[in-house]
C-alpha cells in the first residue's frame, strides 16, 4: 500500500500527530520571516534634525533631504547607531547601497533554495536540512550584528539569504508530506499564516530593540531556541524514508502516526512505493526489507518530458507571481503612520487572502483558483495603469486597485507552493521547489527596478504578468485529490491510468 492510501484508510489524513508535526514545523516560517524582513527596520532611513543654533542659512528643517545641507549642520534623531543608514552614511550618492544589500539577500536566497532543495531530497533529508539552515541563520544573523563596516554587512546578508532560501521549502514539505490528499491543500495554505505572523511579531521586536545591532541579535536567537526546544519533537518525513529505501523506518513511523491518531495498522498491510503498491501478497516479505535508495535530481526532472514541461511552467509562474507581489508591495502608496504599525498592518492585511484561498482550494481545485487569483490581480493592475494622472478621489481608487492587486497575488504566491509540491514526485519534490523558489527570488530582485520606471508603467507590467501567468496555468494538470507520487515511474503510471 502506498502512503496516501495508508493515510486515508488506516492512519488518518489529519489527526493529532499531523497537527503537532504541522505546527512545530511551520514555526520555522516565523523564523524565516525574522531573517527576511529584519532589513525593513535595520536599513531604514531615520529622521534627522538641525543642530541647535544651525537653523537659518546653514540648515533648513523644511528641506526634503539632507543632501544639500552643509556637513555638520544636522544630526540623526536617535544617534548614528540606530540603523545601518545612519551609522555608515548610506544616503545621497551612497543610497544605492541599501538596495544592493537587499538584492544580495535575495541572490543568496536564490542560490540557497537550489542547493538545500537538492540536499533535502538526497542524503541529508528534510529534518536535518531544516536544522542546518536554522543553525546557519542564527550564526550569520548574530555575526551580522558585529559587522565593522558596510561590505562585511553586505557579505553576511548574502550568507543569511543563502541559508534562509532553504527554510521555507524544507518546512513546507516536511509539514505537508505526512498529510492526506483531502487535507493537504488547506494545511499547505495555513503554513503562510506563520510567515505573516512572524512579520507582525518582528514589528514588535523592532519596536523594543531600536538599534540595528541589538535587533539582529534579538531576531536571530529564536533560531537557536528552535533547534534546541522544537526540532527534537519533529519527525522526518515518511515519504523521504520510503524513497531512500528505509522501508522499516517508514513503516514504523506510519504505525506511530496511526496510534497517535487513535487508529491501528492492521496485520499484513505493508508500505511500498506507489509503483510497487500493486505487488502481490507473495512478495510482502520483500517489502519489509530495506532497499537501495531511489534517487533523483533536477536533471531527471528536465530529462523526463512530463516533469520538464511542468517545471518550465512552474518556474515562469513563480517568477511572474513574485515580481507582481513584491513589486506591488513597493509600489502601493504607504500609509501615513509609523513604520512599525505600517509593517504590522501589511502583514495582517495579507491573511484574508490566505483564508479565502484555503476555503476555495478544495472546492474549485488548484488550477481554476490559480487562474482566478492571477487574473484578479492582473485586472486591478490594469485598472491602476489607466489612472496614472489621477487626482482627488481617483488617487484613492488607484491605491485601492494596488491593494486588491496585492490581495490577489498574495493568494497566488502562496497557492503556488502547494501546486508546485503536488506536481512532482517525492524523489525530486524539494529540488523542484528549490528551482521554482530560485525563480521567485529572481522576480523579487527585479521588482524594485520595475517600480523605478514610475508613472503607469509599473502597473502595466504587473497587469501583463498577472494575465499572461493565468494563461500559462491552463497548460498545467489539476492536482486536487491526486496522490503525491513517490517516483517518476509512479507518476507516469498514474497519468496513464487517469
Amino acid at each position: 500500500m502506498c502512503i496516501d492510501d495508508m493515510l486515508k484508510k488506516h492512519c488518518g489524513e489529519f489527526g493529532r500527530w499531523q497537527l503537532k508535526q504541522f505546527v512545530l514545523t511551520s514555526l520555522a516560517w516565523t523564523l524565516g520571516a525574522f531573517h527576511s524582513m529584519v532589513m525593513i527596520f535595520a536599513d531604514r532611513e531615520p529622521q534627522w534634525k538641525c543642530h541647535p543654533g544651525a537653523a537659518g542659512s546653514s540648515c533648513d528643517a523644511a528641506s526634503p533631504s539632507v543632501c544639500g545641507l552643509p556637513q555638520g549642520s544636522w544630526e540623526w534623531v536617535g544617534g548614528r547607531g540606530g540603523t545601518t543608514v545612519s551609522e555608515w552614511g548610506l544616503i545621497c550618492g551612497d543610497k544605492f547601497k541599501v538596495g544592493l544589500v537587499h538584492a544580495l539577500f535575495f541572490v543568496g536566497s536564490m542560490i540557497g533554495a537550489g542547493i538545500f532543495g537538492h540536499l533535502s531530497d538526497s542524503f541529508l533529508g528534510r529534518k536535518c536540512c531544516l536544522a542546518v539552515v536554522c543553525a546557519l541563520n542564527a550564526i550569520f544573523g548574530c555575526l551580522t550584528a558585529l559587522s565593522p563596516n558596510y561590505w562585511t554587512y553586505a557579505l553576511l546578508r548574502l550568507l543569511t539569504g543563502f541559508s534562509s532560501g532553504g527554510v521555507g521549502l524544507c518546512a513546507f514539505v516536511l509539514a505537508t508530506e505526512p498529510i492526506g490528499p483531502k487535507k493537504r491543500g488547506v494545511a499547505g495554505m495555513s503554513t503562510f499564516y506563520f510567515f505573516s505572523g512572524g512579520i507582525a511579531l518582528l514589528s514588535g521586536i523592532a519596536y523594543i530593540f531600536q538599534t540595528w545591532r541589538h535587533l539582529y541579535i534579538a531576531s536571530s536567537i529564536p533560531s537557536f531556541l528552535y533547534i534546541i526546544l522544537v526540532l527534537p519533537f519533529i519527525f522526518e518525513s515518511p515519504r523521504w524514508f520510503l524513497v531512500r529505501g528505509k522501508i522499516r523506518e517508514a513503516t514504523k513511523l506510519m504505525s506511530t502516526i496511526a496510534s497517535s491518531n487513535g487508529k491501528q495498522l492492521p496485520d499484513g498491510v505493508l508500505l511500498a512505493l506507489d509503483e510497487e503498491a500493486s505487488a502481490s501478497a507473495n512478495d510482502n516479505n520483500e517489502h519489509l526489507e530495506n532497499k537501495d535508495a531511489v534517487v533523483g535530481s533536477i536533471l531527471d526532472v528536465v530529462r523526463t518530458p512530463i516533469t520538464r514541461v511542468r517545471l518550465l511552467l512552474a518556474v515562469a509562474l513563480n517568477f511572474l507571481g513574485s515580481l507582481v507581489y513584491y513589486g506591488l508591495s513597493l509600489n502601493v502608496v504607504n500609509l501615513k503612520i509609523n513604520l512599525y504599525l505600517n509593517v504590522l498592518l501589511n502583514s495582517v492585511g495579507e491573511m484574508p487572502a490566505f483564508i479565502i484561498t484555503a476555503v476555495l482550494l478544495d472546492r474549485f481545485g488548484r488550477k481554476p483558483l490559480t487562474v482566478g487569483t492571477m487574473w484578479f490581480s492582473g485586472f486591478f493592475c490594469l485598472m491602476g495603469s489607466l489612472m496614472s494622472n489621477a487626482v482627488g478621489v481617483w488617487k484613492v481608487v488607484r491605491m485601492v486597485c494596488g491593494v486588491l492587486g496585492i490581495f490577489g497575488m498574495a493568494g497566488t504566491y502562496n497557492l503556488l507552493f502547494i501546486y508546485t509540491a503536488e506536481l512532482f514526485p517525492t524523489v525530486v519534490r524539494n529540488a523542484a521547489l528549490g528551482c521554482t523558489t530560485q525563480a521567485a527570488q529572481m522576480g523579487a530582485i527585479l521588482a524594485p527596478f520595475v517600480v523605478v520606471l514610475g508613472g503607469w508603467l509599473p502597473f502595466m507590467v504587473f497587469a501583463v504578468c498577472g494575465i499572461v501567468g493565468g494563461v500559462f496555468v491552463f497548460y498545467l494538470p489539476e492536482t486536487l485529490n491526486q496522490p503525491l507520487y513517490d517516483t517518476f515511474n509512479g507518476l507516469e503510471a498514474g497519468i496513464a491510468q487517469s
Side-chain angles (χ1 to χ4, degrees):
M1 181 175 290
C2 66
I3 286 183
D4 274 338
D5 288 340
M6 191 173 284
L7 288 170
K8 289 187 287 187
K9 296 178 181 179
H10 303 299
C11 299
E13 295 195 53
F14 193 81
R16 184 187 306 170
W17 189 95
Q18 285 101 333
L19 177 61
K20 176 185 174 183
Q21 173 87 350
F22 174 82
V23 172
L24 294 181
T25 305
S26 296
L27 285 173
W29 279 91
T30 304
L31 307 178
F34 288 177
H35 295 286
S36 300
M37 300 301 176
V38 65
M39 55 192 177
I40 295 177
F41 303 99
D43 300 338
R44 64 184 174 87
E45 183 174 331
Q47 294 181 331
W48 60 275
K49 63 180 180 180
C50 293
H51 273 307
S57 58
S58 61
C59 182
D60 183 6
S63 177
S65 72
V66 299
C67 295
L69 301 179
Q71 189 174 6
S73 64
W74 59 275
E75 63 182 5
W76 296 111
V77 175
R80 291 182 64 250
T83 71
T84 59
V85 172
S86 57
E87 180 161 338
W88 293 319
L90 306 181
I91 55 175
C92 304
D94 287 333
K95 193 172 184 178
F96 76 94
K97 291 182 178 179
V98 177
L100 178 61
V101 169
H102 297 178
L104 286 175
F105 177 86
F106 288 118
V107 169
S109 296
M110 180 177 64
I111 298 171
I115 292 176
F116 289 112
H118 173 73
L119 290 176
S120 62
D121 277 337
S122 57
F123 70 94
L124 197 58
R126 280 81 159 112
K127 180 180 176 179
C128 289
C129 195
L130 183 60
V132 169
V133 294
C134 287
L136 291 176
N137 267 346
I139 294 170
F140 292 145
C142 289
L143 289 177
T144 302
L146 305 177
S147 301
N149 53 57
Y150 168 81
W151 293 111
T152 304
Y153 174 73
L155 174 62
L156 287 168
R157 285 305 289 165
L158 173 68
L159 294 174
T160 306
F162 171 76
S163 53
S164 296
V167 173
L169 63 94
C170 289
F172 181 84
V173 174
L174 191 57
T176 56
E177 279 192 336
I179 298 174
K182 291 184 179 179
K183 306 294 183 181
R184 193 181 301 127
V186 174
M189 286 300 299
S190 300
T191 59
F192 300 102
Y193 292 116
F194 291 85
F195 188 83
S196 295
I199 299 175
L201 186 60
L202 177 64
S203 63
I205 296 174
Y207 184 78
I208 297 172
F209 298 94
Q210 296 278 335
T211 60
W212 72 271
R213 295 184 186 273
H214 293 161
L215 176 58
Y216 268 106
I217 294 176
S219 60
S220 299
I221 289 178
S223 293
F224 280 124
L225 298 178
Y226 182 82
I227 296 172
I228 298 171
L229 302 178
V230 178
L231 207 59
F233 299 98
I234 294 177
F235 291 85
E236 181 55 87
S237 168
R239 298 181 188 274
W240 181 81
F241 279 138
L242 188 60
V243 299
R244 296 299 296 178
K246 301 181 179 182
I247 311 299
R248 291 185 181 277
E249 290 87 341
T251 304
K252 182 179 178 180
L253 182 53
M254 294 301 289
S255 179
T256 301
I257 295 175
S259 60
S260 298
N261 292 341
K263 300 176 182 291
Q264 185 176 0
L265 288 182
D267 295 335
V269 176
L270 303 173
L271 194 61
L273 294 170
D274 42 27
E275 64 185 76
E276 303 170 338
S278 59
S280 65
N282 294 330
D283 296 328
N284 281 348
N285 289 334
E286 180 184 341
H287 288 290
L288 281 172
E289 300 299 326
N290 285 349
K291 304 178 180 180
D292 293 334
V294 180
V295 297
S297 69
I298 200 66
L299 294 178
D300 297 308
V301 178
V302 176
R303 291 192 192 104
T304 307
I306 296 173
T307 53
R308 178 170 61 241
V309 174
R310 293 183 177 189
L311 181 66
L312 291 174
L313 291 171
V315 163
L317 289 172
N318 278 270
F319 173 81
L320 295 173
S322 179
L323 174 61
V324 176
Y325 176 76
Y326 285 104
L328 284 173
S329 298
L330 296 172
N331 203 48
V332 171
V333 178
N334 292 326
L335 299 175
K336 301 299 182 180
I337 50 179
N338 69 72
L339 178 63
Y340 307 99
L341 186 57
N342 193 352
V343 173
L344 175 65
L345 292 176
N346 285 341
S347 62
V348 174
E350 291 182 5
M351 293 186 179
F354 307 154
I355 297 173
I356 295 174
T357 308
V359 170
L360 300 178
L361 190 63
D362 289 333
R363 181 173 299 179
F364 294 102
R366 282 67 164 147
K367 185 173 179 177
L369 195 58
T370 306
V371 173
T373 52
M374 293 202 85
W375 282 359
F376 181 91
S377 177
F379 172 78
F380 283 102
C381 288
L382 181 60
M383 293 298 100
S385 70
L386 300 178
M387 299 181 232
S388 57
N389 298 320
V391 294
V393 69
W394 292 106
K395 285 186 176 181
V396 178
V397 174
R398 188 169 183 239
M399 184 185 71
V400 171
C401 287
V403 172
L404 290 174
I406 294 177
F407 178 85
M409 199 52 69
T412 303
Y413 191 64
N414 299 318
L415 173 60
L416 285 175
F417 254 91
I418 301 168
Y419 205 176
T420 304
E422 294 177 342
L423 287 171
F424 301 94
T426 302
V427 289
V428 292
R429 182 166 297 121
N430 261 22
L433 269 175
C435 189
T436 57
T437 301
Q438 287 180 305
Q441 298 301 337
M442 291 179 64
I445 295 170
L446 185 60
F449 297 100
V450 176
V451 173
V452 169
L453 296 174
W456 59 273
L457 278 174
F459 267 115
M460 180 57 71
V461 171
F462 302 146
V464 171
C465 289
I467 295 171
V468 171
V471 174
F472 284 165
V473 180
F474 281 100
Y475 296 94
L476 286 173
E478 178 57 71
T479 59
L480 176 63
N481 294 330
Q482 295 297 310
L484 283 181
Y485 294 102
D486 298 317
T487 63
F488 286 97
N489 290 337
L491 175 63
E492 292 172 352
I495 293 175
Q497 293 174 4
S498 61

